[in-house]
Amino acid sequence: MAPHGFSRTPEELSAARSEALRGAAVGAAKFGIVTAFLGLGGTLFSPIYRALTIQFKVYLQVSGMTLGGWIEADKRFRAWENLRVREKRRLKALERDNGVWREWEKMVEEEVIGKENGEQKNAGVK
């Protein structure tokens, strides 16, 4: 169920999925670069790291990339969701303000029409 009573349309779901996928790709790339540098440092300076099998080294690299993908995807999705919540609140406030504006316009029109009718009656009396 959607939080705050907002329903999700297929377009919103598609946009959310796209944003999370972009975040996952960026996060995997960022953390992949970091883990690659750590692996290079381990290869150059650590006899323990050099003694590890290639399978375990690949596992460490992929684990870092997966973690980065999760973190960045979650970060981007939360930012996207907060943006949508703010947009919906802004639209509700705009609708409310437009309603108040319409009421003011109606009051002014009634007042102007009332004065014009009063002036016409007064003009006929003189």
Side-chain angles (χ1 to χ4, degrees):
M1 175 155 225
H4 308 294
F6 293 128
S7 61
R8 301 279 187 235
T9 64
E11 294 82 21
E12 285 179 322
L13 293 173
S14 178
R17 182 182 65 237
S18 296
E19 190 63 28
L21 284 174
R22 267 188 244 117
V26 168
K30 278 190 212 177
F31 276 62
I33 291 169
V34 170
T35 55
F37 280 119
L38 290 174
L40 178 64
T43 301
L44 294 175
F45 302 112
S46 174
I48 296 172
Y49 187 82
R50 274 182 259 151
L52 296 176
T53 63
I54 189 69
Q55 292 90 350
F56 192 70
K57 291 177 184 178
V58 169
Y59 169 75
L60 292 175
Q61 179 74 26
V62 171
S63 295
M65 292 174 70
T66 302
L67 178 66
W70 284 342
I71 291 170
E72 190 69 22
D74 185 58
K75 177 182 168 186
R76 291 225 182 168
F77 177 74
R78 287 175 185 256
W80 177 87
E81 191 173 36
N82 286 334
L83 178 67
R84 296 299 171 251
V85 167
R86 283 193 314 250
E87 279 181 5
K88 288 186 180 194
R89 285 183 184 157
R90 197 175 313 132
L91 286 175
K92 282 184 181 181
L94 184 62
E95 289 174 11
R96 184 183 63 239
D97 291 347
N98 285 341
V100 170
W101 181 254
R102 277 185 241 114
E103 286 187 29
W104 273 98
E105 286 178 334
K106 187 177 175 183
M107 285 175 39
V108 169
E109 284 178 12
E110 289 174 358
E111 200 172 299
V112 168
I113 291 172
K115 285 183 180 180
E116 287 176 359
N117 288 339
E119 287 176 5
Q120 288 175 359
K121 288 180 184 177
N122 290 339
V125 173
K126 290 183 182 180

